[in-house]
Amino acid sequence: MNPAAAGQVSASAETRLSHKAAQFTESVIREMTRLALAHNAVNLSQGFPDFAAPEEIKAAAREAITRDINQYAITWGAKSLRNAIAEKFARQNKIQIDPEREITVCCGSTEAMMSSMMAIINPGDEVVVFEPFYENYGPDAILSGASPKFVRLHPPRAGDSDWTFDADELSCAFSDKTKAIILNTPNNPTGKVFERRELEIIRDLCLRHGAFLITDEIYEHMLYDGARQVCAVSLDGMRERTIVINALSKTYSVTGWRVGWAIAPPEVTSAIRKVHDFLTVGAAAPLQEAGALALRMPDSYYSQLASDYLRRRNRLLGILAGAGFKCFKPRGAYYIMTDISNFGFANDVEFARYLVTEIGVAAVPGSSFYNNPADGAQQLRFTFCKKESTFAEAEKRLAKLRSRG
Ligand code: PLP
């Protein structure tokens, strides 16, 4: 999202169209994919794998269609998938959730986030968001009617192994208007994995201000260098005020299936289910059946996934460093945020356009992750959810950057 460009709406359109829609632009990330296609560039922008999804999951989807699971599922999700979500959550977090009253299956985590926000936000409510942030959270706040309050994640300095936030700054962002804080761990775009002691700071503020925590855990299985995922639901006092957002998309390499879910206390789930029902009715029924099988994959699937992504992370770190980028090494998720100040471009958008059109590699301008575009003007995000031949081609093309002068 680029709020700066969002004001460019003609006067007549301004009166006929939604004021909310006028406040944001189309997704910069998705636009970069279209530019990559138009220029035949290697696409290291949008976070979708270019390798195959697991064979057994694809077979389960085909089988579900053959078995004629082709009509609407229960609006809040097929029972088989909700049971599998509850079982996996209990296995991982040692917490029992009730699949009948605490889960809503949605069209991807994108819809799960939107339905959750629409279920809890009233006019005048504020939502705290760590910045840089996954660009959807800006429009999500506007569409649900919340005012976002941004709190900066600072890049690692000497002695830090990860991005950090200032506890006082976070505390100042909370007020009696705060309805929720949005957390994304492991984090897109920084790769930060929030530690228990950081979650406890957030927990204390949520309890003090009666706020919800919405935690987007879509990259929960992509962890490196000993990073550990702590789900906020496991913290004392957070069971009743946490909404967990997750999806099949990243863990099972099926971003196009559009199956995600929200886990929330029963009262909150009732509201999420109502919003969800009238927004989309339900996620694709046969793919929900395949999801039930996916969530029961053995532990070895997740450890293999993490080690494959570690190898890809290290490969892309090497390529980018070799091309002259200063990289922030991620401890989770599948992105590398870079500092581009070495290259002498006026801003990230100019550099991203040069990379796509002249070098043939697409990345996402850093400004799309900030409320004020100037804050990300010397950053660029690359994804490493790609196969080796993609890396090899990107490496060849990026070598041209070095010789540029
Ligand atoms: N949340 C985060 C943090 C993401 O990075 C993405 C996609 O890149 C999504 C949500 C979208 O997930 P889904 O495809 O399940 O809607």
Side-chain angles (χ1 to χ4, degrees):
M1 181 197 61
N2 189 339
Q8 296 163 3
V9 178
S10 74
S12 63
E14 214 171 86
T15 50
R16 292 178 59 205
L17 304 179
S18 146
H19 292 157
K20 283 182 174 172
Q23 287 174 56
F24 52 88
T25 61
E26 65 166 321
S27 156
V28 177
I29 298 177
R30 269 99 58 198
E31 184 195 3
M32 287 312 300
T33 285
R34 291 196 294 276
L35 270 180
L37 286 171
H39 293 277
N40 204 17
V42 177
N43 189 357
L44 302 184
S45 60
Q46 195 177 355
F48 60 85
D50 68 352
F51 44 84
E55 201 44 60
E56 54 271 58
I57 299 176
K58 293 190 290 189
R62 285 192 296 270
E63 223 246 316
I65 291 174
T66 306
R67 278 193 292 132
D68 238 329
I69 304 190
N70 294 315
Q71 311 308 328
Y72 301 124
I74 294 173
T75 174
W76 51 77
K79 190 168 170 47
S80 56
L81 176 57
R82 281 181 289 116
N83 287 346
I85 292 168
E87 278 168 33
K88 180 166 181 283
F89 196 80
R91 233 175 21 247
Q92 261 175 243
N93 301 303
K94 315 278 175 277
I95 297 169
Q96 301 293 333
I97 48 168
D98 181 354
E100 296 308 324
R101 299 191 308 144
E102 295 184 287
I103 298 173
T104 311
V105 175
C106 295
C107 298
S109 69
T110 300
E111 194 240 318
M113 177 63 82
M114 192 72 248
S115 291
S116 299
M117 289 184 67
M118 291 181 80
I120 62 169
I121 299 295
N122 287 314
D125 285 349
E126 293 179 355
V127 170
V128 178
V129 181
F130 286 106
E131 181 184 53
F133 53 88
Y134 172 54
E135 66 168 357
N136 277 38
Y137 302 155
D140 285 346
I142 293 165
L143 290 170
S144 64
S147 309
K149 292 276 154 200
F150 297 101
V151 174
R152 191 54 64 89
L153 291 174
H154 303 282
R157 287 162 293 215
D160 296 335
S161 63
D162 212 342
W163 294 61
T164 51
F165 64 86
D166 182 303
D168 292 334
E169 227 177 285
L170 181 64
S171 174
C172 287
F174 276 76
S175 73
D176 56 1
K177 296 198 185 125
T178 306
K179 179 54 73 70
I181 174 168
I182 298 179
L183 183 74
N184 169 217
T185 182
N187 183 259
N188 171 13
T190 63
K192 175 178 175 62
V193 180
F194 284 74
E195 291 179 3
R196 180 175 286 276
R197 67 178 169 77
E198 295 176 308
L199 296 179
E200 286 171 351
I201 295 172
I202 295 167
R203 183 265 319 270
D204 291 349
L205 287 165
C206 287
L207 293 179
R208 191 175 314 150
H209 295 275
F212 286 104
L213 168 62
I214 310 180
T215 173
D216 177 343
E217 307 204 340
I218 192 164
Y219 299 106
E220 64 180 343
H221 292 291
M222 288 141 202
L223 299 165
Y224 321 112
D225 305 336
R228 288 175 58 104
Q229 176 74 349
V230 180
C231 180
V233 177
S234 67
L235 268 58
D236 283 348
M238 290 309 280
R239 179 85 161 82
E240 312 74 54
R241 56 182 63 256
T242 303
I243 304 174
V244 181
I245 305 292
N246 213 325
L248 298 180
S249 310
K250 312 287 179 172
T251 305
Y252 306 101
S253 305
V254 288
T255 58
W257 279 17
R258 317 308 305 131
V259 179
W261 53 90
I263 299 172
E267 188 196 16
V268 183
T269 292
S270 312
I272 297 173
R273 286 179 173 185
K274 281 192 285 181
V275 176
H276 156 74
D277 188 7
F278 288 103
L279 269 183
T280 64
V281 179
L287 303 184
Q288 292 193 49
E289 292 304 319
L293 177 129
L295 284 151
R296 295 197 173 97
M297 296 288 259
D299 289 348
S300 56
Y301 174 78
Y302 303 101
S303 49
Q304 186 65 48
L305 184 80
S307 66
D308 287 346
Y309 271 114
L310 175 66
R311 183 174 35 77
R312 293 184 188 111
R313 179 200 71 169
N314 292 342
R315 176 82 168 104
L316 185 60
L317 279 171
I319 293 171
L320 293 174
F325 289 87
K326 185 175 158 221
C327 298
F328 301 111
K329 192 174 174 182
R331 301 183 72 223
Y334 54 43
Y335 305 97
I336 298 176
M337 195 66 151
T338 64
D339 180 320
I340 56 170
S341 46
N342 285 349
F343 296 99
F345 278 79
N347 62 50
D348 58 321
V349 174
E350 201 180 283
F351 188 40
R353 283 195 184 277
Y354 171 82
L355 269 190
V356 146
T357 56
E358 305 299 321
I359 303 290
V361 174
V364 180
S367 54
S368 63
F369 303 104
Y370 290 86
N371 183 46
N372 176 2
D375 293 332
Q378 290 301 321
Q379 293 176 348
L380 218 54
R381 189 203 75 177
F382 293 82
T383 184
F384 53 88
C385 51
K386 302 295 168 188
K387 55 186 186 240
E388 173 48 36
S389 55
T390 307
F391 289 133
E393 187 58 32
E395 184 170 37
K396 201 165 80 191
R397 296 184 185 197
L398 286 169
K400 286 185 268 172
L401 261 183
R402 268 274 182 225
S403 52
R404 188 177 145 259

